[in-house]
Amino acid sequence: LFCKVLAAAGPMAAITSSGMTTGFSAVLLPQLERPDSIVKITLEQASWIASMAALPMALGCALGGWMMERFGRRTTHQLVCVPYVLGWVLLSLARNLAMLYVGRFLTGLCLGLIGPLSPVYIAEISGPAYRGALLATVSLAVSTGILAANLLGTFLSWQLTAAICAVFPLICYVGIFWVPESPAWLAARGRSSEAEEAFHWFRGYSTEADTELRELLRKHETGRPQQTWVELWQEIRKSSFLRPFLVMNGFFLVMQFSGVNAVAFYTVSILKDVGQGLDEYLATNIIGVVRVVMSLVACVLTRRYDRRPLAVVSCLGTAASLVGLGAFLLSGPSAGWVPLLFFVAYICSVSVGLVPLPWVMVGEVFPAAARGFGSGASSCFCFLVFFAVVKTGPALIACAGPHGAFFTYGAVAIVGAVVLYLFLPETRNRTLQDIEEGYSRTRTKVNALI
């Protein structure tokens, strides 16, 4: 367990920086809108600063999927950390709008690159017993990053906040240098002896671990150094790839259109609009603390309970809190503590299922031969929807009002509960080989898995 946690610590630092990228705009924009700001912005420019980070995330996911297959999981982490640090440094030194755009673009691109990379690496180095909990720490790291950015931005300037954020990708670069490459990636390249050594470093020498190692080496006994495009095309046409691909895209669609990142990007502005007598920065930090606590709870829940019940309960709780908040706001701005309570209920609901589970499962459900491509393509779709939600968030609130936006997001969560109940596969306590073989069986057996 210590080795698994040690190996995951580097990627977790990079993912914490991803959370900071998400939360940074919530403190950056209010400071830029002040009369004494060194960079003057309009409402339209503010929406572009927020969404500029989301714009390249899809491209980053596509590149991340290719890079992790070409260079390996560990090396790709290090390659991504270099522009990540550069992006934060540019934001810290920004004195004009162009530098803000470029800095946000780079940090958003690297967020996309990390998106499929870290869950795949963590899934491949951990066994069935701890995989769910370790993958749930992805959500915990994102929540911690959002909270850290909000806290830093509350007391410090956005320039100093950005400079501190640059430390985390650097920690990842150094931390992951000392751990082995993914055994699954090494085995798929025909490097069996290295794969065996790395596997024992991560998993030890138990009977269960030795059995899984033999299955891994048997599956890749004809491994070749590089997979050709023709071979990849053959893999992604199989039902063992297409079924989880469609399910994961649906899961990501429900997650994003439930308003998760729209709320994260515009928390301060939303709370300022919907609550009277409310210190929006204090409320934002309260929500950030709740998000971190619930992410810790999610780490426990994903180890104790199956994926599908958690997803359905999360969707229903999300819908109830959003519809309740929308109904309460129909009469106009309210006492600050009332919308804050609904926001806390919303964060609690999304944090136990809708936020962590897609990132847990994107590293689990795809076959090894196309895991990099599948996780990258699904994450790419996620961030395309991410951009659409974040860019349209202010316009939706302006046109339909805050209550209309919350009703819309709540309706998506209700539909998502039904869809996920019908189609989400169960992966808890199963080896990656077992999950892959389950999708490769006949239609009857696959339906039994689902």
Side-chain angles (χ1 to χ4, degrees):
L1 178 60
F2 174 78
C3 290
K4 297 181 184 72
V5 172
L6 179 64
M12 286 302 108
I15 295 173
T16 301
S17 184
S18 298
M20 290 175 159
T21 302
T22 301
F24 186 65
S25 63
V27 294
L28 170 64
L29 297 181
Q31 291 190 33
L32 291 178
E33 291 167 355
R34 293 174 181 171
D36 59 346
S37 173
I38 62 173
V39 181
K40 307 297 182 182
I41 61 169
T42 65
L43 181 62
E44 178 65 17
Q45 289 168 340
S47 73
W48 274 110
I49 290 173
S51 57
M52 186 59 70
L55 182 62
M57 289 178 187
L59 173 63
C61 289
L63 287 174
W66 173 78
M67 288 175 65
M68 77 169 84
E69 296 297 344
R70 177 66 178 83
F71 302 110
R73 288 38 166 160
R74 186 184 67 169
T75 302
T76 302
H77 272 99
Q78 293 184 302
L79 291 174
V80 171
C81 287
V82 176
Y84 218 158
V85 172
L86 178 60
W88 283 119
V89 170
L90 276 174
L91 286 171
S92 177
L93 300 176
R95 294 297 180 270
N96 54 59
L97 199 58
M99 292 182 71
L100 286 174
Y101 283 156
V102 174
R104 290 289 285 168
F105 184 91
L106 276 177
T107 53
L109 176 67
C110 293
L111 191 160
L113 288 165
I114 287 291
L117 174 62
S118 296
V120 167
Y121 180 69
I122 294 170
E124 290 180 344
I125 66 172
S126 55
Y130 295 103
R131 190 177 62 240
L134 286 173
L135 285 170
T137 59
V138 171
S139 176
L140 173 61
V142 172
S143 301
T144 303
I146 293 173
L147 174 61
N150 290 338
L151 285 173
L152 290 171
T154 299
F155 300 105
L156 305 174
S157 68
W158 57 266
Q159 294 97 328
L160 184 54
T161 299
I164 295 173
C165 292
V167 174
F168 288 84
L170 187 60
I171 293 174
C172 174
Y173 185 93
V174 175
I176 205 166
F177 177 81
W178 305 101
V179 299
E181 179 56 83
S182 160
W185 185 82
L186 292 169
R189 268 72 194 161
R191 296 158 64 174
S192 300
S193 59
E194 293 176 70
E196 185 172 355
E197 183 179 350
F199 189 94
H200 285 309
W201 192 93
F202 289 119
R203 304 286 301 281
Y205 293 86
S206 67
T207 303
E208 181 182 283
D210 287 339
T211 300
E212 188 174 344
L213 175 60
R214 286 195 299 271
E215 292 177 358
L216 176 67
L217 295 177
R218 176 186 56 79
K219 181 175 179 58
H220 298 291
E221 59 187 357
T222 58
R224 50 189 302 164
Q226 293 297 332
Q227 185 182 47
T228 66
W229 288 106
V230 173
E231 291 170 334
L232 177 60
W233 174 246
Q234 291 173 344
E235 290 294 333
I236 64 178
R237 292 172 60 191
K238 296 178 180 178
S239 63
S240 60
F241 175 87
L242 293 176
R243 288 175 181 273
F245 182 70
L246 292 174
V247 171
M248 290 311 305
N249 283 348
F251 206 168
F252 278 125
L253 184 70
V254 172
M255 179 187 78
Q256 293 294 349
F257 271 104
S258 295
V260 171
N261 286 297
V263 171
F265 269 57
Y266 301 110
T267 301
V268 174
S269 300
I270 292 173
L271 288 171
K272 185 177 180 180
D273 291 339
V274 304
Q276 292 181 342
L278 178 68
D279 184 332
E280 58 269 21
Y281 287 97
L282 174 61
T284 298
N285 289 323
I286 290 173
I287 290 173
V289 171
V290 172
R291 185 185 283 114
V292 171
V293 172
M294 293 308 299
S295 296
L296 282 169
V297 172
C299 293
V300 177
L301 294 179
T302 52
R303 191 163 181 225
R304 291 191 176 184
Y305 299 101
D306 291 344
R307 311 288 194 246
R308 184 163 49 187
L310 279 178
V312 172
V313 170
S314 177
C315 284
L316 294 176
T318 298
S321 56
L322 287 171
V323 172
L325 178 57
F328 196 85
L329 294 177
L330 273 175
S331 58
S334 313
W337 63 271
V338 178
L340 179 59
L341 288 178
F342 279 109
F343 268 106
V344 168
Y346 171 75
I347 294 299
C348 290
S349 298
V350 298
S351 297
V352 298
L354 275 178
V355 171
L357 286 181
W359 297 111
V360 168
M361 298 183 69
V362 78
E364 294 179 323
V365 296
F366 292 107
R371 188 168 292 141
F373 179 84
S375 60
S378 293
S379 302
C380 177
F381 175 79
C382 172
F383 287 121
L384 283 174
V385 183
F386 184 129
F387 173 75
V389 171
V390 171
K391 189 67 178 74
T392 59
L396 179 60
I397 293 173
C399 294
H403 63 278
F406 295 137
F407 283 149
T408 302
Y409 296 145
V412 173
I414 292 173
V415 174
V418 176
V419 173
L420 294 175
Y421 176 79
L422 294 175
F423 297 107
L424 192 68
E426 189 51 63
T427 59
R428 176 174 169 264
N429 288 339
R430 307 183 68 175
T431 67
L432 298 182
Q433 288 82 8
D434 185 35
I435 296 169
E436 179 177 347
E437 289 171 2
Y439 270 119
S440 300
R441 295 173 191 141
T442 64
R443 184 179 182 86
T444 301
K445 292 184 178 180
V446 170
N447 286 336
L449 172 67
I450 294 178

